């Protein structure tokens, strides 16, 4: 590329970065507004990640790196454990953020070509999403579904997103102190009561883009932000040391398409004494529901060697085989499960 063409490309990139920076700032200030222009800018603009390397390694120059060379800086969600990656619209934003982090490693920004970064990020284990241009009082984010759409070069569906549990609204335990509010139906996508539990779980403006219907102790329904509800459920499960609530938490995260967070919860439980079979059964479900069928089958086949009495491993092995249209394999797996669970209706349907 000639010097003139290089300078022209640099000016173009600077202009796209400025536009992306503006749309990200607007999304952070008003998370319920349309994100069409931000999604388009994300696909069309260069972006920047933080690369971590040992201090004194001698590498000083910022620039680009191949994915195989990238030691990506990421952070785990403090409540649910999923991995969040900071992604920046400009090198300056990345450098400012790096200065706020206390680390034994040296952090420097690396550039990514327009659109290419999302395939890289979508493949990260336990990925919950991306936080755009942190830090800030409010930060816009891309959750799992948005990240997957961008990885395919597609514009994600606009929110807000509404979720219902398969068996109807979840009945919340008595005694929680809720605070009721009212956002316009045109802004949130429904006309009904809205409740949050700020004394029991964290809450951010960004959370108001995804809602789930609950039943409260007065017998009436109300909607609450999904991530806020999941954090509350996690705290209740830990407080009461309740396996049933842990199962509800994982099922809720799956229903909300928060697969990275669900995967993180399973990874935490799998190392607890006596919980490995339970955790692997749910992890297989996370993989199956998120479309990683081969991974689901591997977890089931390996897990059953150590936990042949875990029904969920048979269920997900059968359903995974069926989704691959391997009906012979599904029948074989169902027969194996019926040896341990002869009255299991789901397994009997495949024999």
């Amino acid at each position: 590329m000639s010097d003139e063409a290089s300078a022209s490309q640099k000016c173009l990139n600077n202009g796209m970065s400025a536009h992306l920076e503006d749309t990200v700032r607007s999304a952070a200030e008003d998370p319920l507004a349309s994100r069409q222009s931000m999604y388009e800018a994300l696909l069309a603009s260069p972006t920047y990640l933080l690369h971590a390397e040992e201090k004194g390694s001698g590498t000083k120059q910022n620039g680009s790196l191949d994915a195989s060379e990238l030691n990506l800086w990421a952070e785990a969600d403090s409540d649910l454990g999923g991995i969040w990656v900071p992604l920046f619209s400009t090198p300056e934003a990345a450098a400012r953020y790096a200065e706020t982090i206390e680390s034994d490693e040296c952090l420097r920004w690396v550039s990514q070509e327009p659109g290419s970064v999302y395939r890289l990020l979508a493949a990260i284990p336990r990925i919950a999403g991306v936080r755009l241009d942190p830090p800030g009082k409010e930060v816009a984010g891309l959750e799992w579904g948005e990240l997957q759409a961008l990885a395919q070069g597609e514009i994600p569906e606009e929110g807000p997103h509404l979720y219902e549990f398969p068996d109807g609204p979840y009945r919340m335990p008595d005694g929680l102190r809720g605070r009721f509010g009212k956002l316009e139906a045109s802004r949130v996508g429904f006309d009904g009561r809205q409740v949050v539990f700020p004394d029991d779980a964290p809450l951010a403006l960004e959370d108001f883009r995804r809602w789930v219907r609950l039943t409260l102790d007065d017998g009436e329904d109300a909607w609450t932000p999904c991530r806020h509800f999941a954090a509350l459920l996690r705290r209740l499960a830990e407080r009461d040391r309740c396996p049933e609530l842990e199962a509800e938490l994982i099922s809720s995260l799956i229903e909300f398409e928060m697969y990275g967070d669900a995967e993180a919860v399973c990874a935490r439980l799998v190392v607890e004494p006596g919980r490995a079979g339970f955790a692997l059964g749910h992890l297989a479900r996370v993989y199956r529901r998120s479309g990683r069928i081969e991974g689901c089958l591997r977890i089931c086949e390996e897990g059953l060697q150590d936990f042949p009495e875990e029904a969920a491993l048979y269920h997900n092995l059968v359903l995974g085989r069926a989704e691959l249209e391997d009906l012979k394999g599904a029948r074989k797996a169902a027969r194996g499960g019926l040896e341990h669970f002869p009255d299991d209706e789901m397994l009997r349907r495949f024999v």
Side-chain angles (χ1 to χ4, degrees), residues 250 265-271 275-284 310:
I250 297 170
V265 172
C266 293
R268 174 176 56 83
L269 292 174
V270 79
V271 297
R275 308 303 306 283
F278 168 88
L280 289 173
H282 282 284
L283 183 61
E310 187 59 49

Side-chain angles (χ1 to χ4, degrees), residues 31 45 79 90 101 142 183 191 216 221 236 239 262 268 299:
S45 308
D79 282 283
T90 65
I101 297 172
L142 304 172
L183 294 172
D191 187 11
L216 305 184
D221 290 351
L236 293 176
R239 183 195 69 188
R268 174 176 56 83
I299 291 168

Side-chain angles (χ1 to χ4, degrees), residues 26-278:
S26 296
E29 293 171 351
D30 186 358
L32 296 180
S34 171
R35 295 193 165 184
Q36 176 83 14
S37 61
M38 185 184 78
Y39 294 143
E40 292 174 351
L42 284 166
L43 288 173
S45 308
T47 50
Y48 304 86
L49 297 167
L50 290 181
H51 169 71
E53 57 190 25
E54 291 185 13
K55 290 182 177 179
S57 64
T59 305
K60 301 293 184 183
Q61 187 175 359
N62 296 317
S64 61
L65 286 176
D66 292 333
S68 60
E69 302 175 287
L70 189 60
N71 182 22
L72 189 62
W73 174 265
E75 301 162 302
D77 184 273
S78 58
D79 282 283
L80 298 172
I83 299 299
W84 288 89
V85 177
L87 182 68
F88 304 93
S89 58
T90 65
E92 293 78 13
R96 285 194 301 269
Y97 185 67
E99 292 175 355
T100 69
I101 297 172
E102 294 184 9
S103 173
D104 294 333
E105 297 174 299
C106 177
L107 302 180
R108 62 184 181 91
W109 60 261
V110 294
S111 62
Q112 300 291 306
E113 292 298 318
S116 65
V117 69
Y118 310 108
R119 291 187 296 276
L120 168 66
L121 298 178
I124 295 174
R126 305 198 311 277
I127 184 74
V130 165
R131 291 190 173 122
L132 298 166
D133 284 353
K137 183 177 180 181
E138 297 293 343
V139 175
L142 304 172
E143 297 213 32
W144 190 91
E146 294 167 292
L147 191 56
Q148 297 296 322
L150 291 170
Q152 300 300 316
E154 300 170 355
I155 299 295
E157 293 183 6
E158 287 279 12
H161 301 282
L162 307 182
Y163 295 86
E164 300 266 11
F165 292 106
D167 298 325
Y170 183 86
R171 188 169 190 92
M172 294 295 288
D174 295 346
L176 292 173
R177 296 179 58 186
R179 296 184 186 176
F180 294 88
K182 186 67 175 178
L183 294 172
E184 295 179 10
S186 61
R187 299 271 283 162
V188 296
F190 64 88
D191 187 11
R193 290 200 304 174
Q194 300 152 21
V195 64
V196 295
F197 307 92
D199 295 338
D200 298 284
L203 184 66
L205 283 177
E206 182 75 5
D207 296 339
F208 289 98
R209 299 182 62 244
R210 302 156 68 86
W211 299 81
V212 61
R213 192 200 306 260
L214 309 175
T215 298
L216 305 184
D217 56 10
D218 62 3
E220 299 294 327
D221 290 351
W223 294 80
T224 198
C226 292
R227 182 166 292 277
H228 175 63
F229 168 73
L232 172 62
L233 209 58
R234 160 85 187 270
R235 293 187 179 190
L236 293 176
E238 289 187 339
R239 183 195 69 188
D240 299 339
R241 302 192 64 80
C242 180
E244 289 78 13
L245 282 177
E246 288 175 336
E248 293 283 2
L249 169 61
I250 297 170
S251 294
S252 298
L253 292 170
I254 292 172
E255 290 302 319
F256 304 157
E257 300 176 285
M258 294 169 61
Y259 298 116
D261 292 301
E263 191 177 348
V265 172
C266 293
R268 174 176 56 83
L269 292 174
V270 79
V271 297
E272 293 188 4
R275 308 303 306 283
F278 168 88

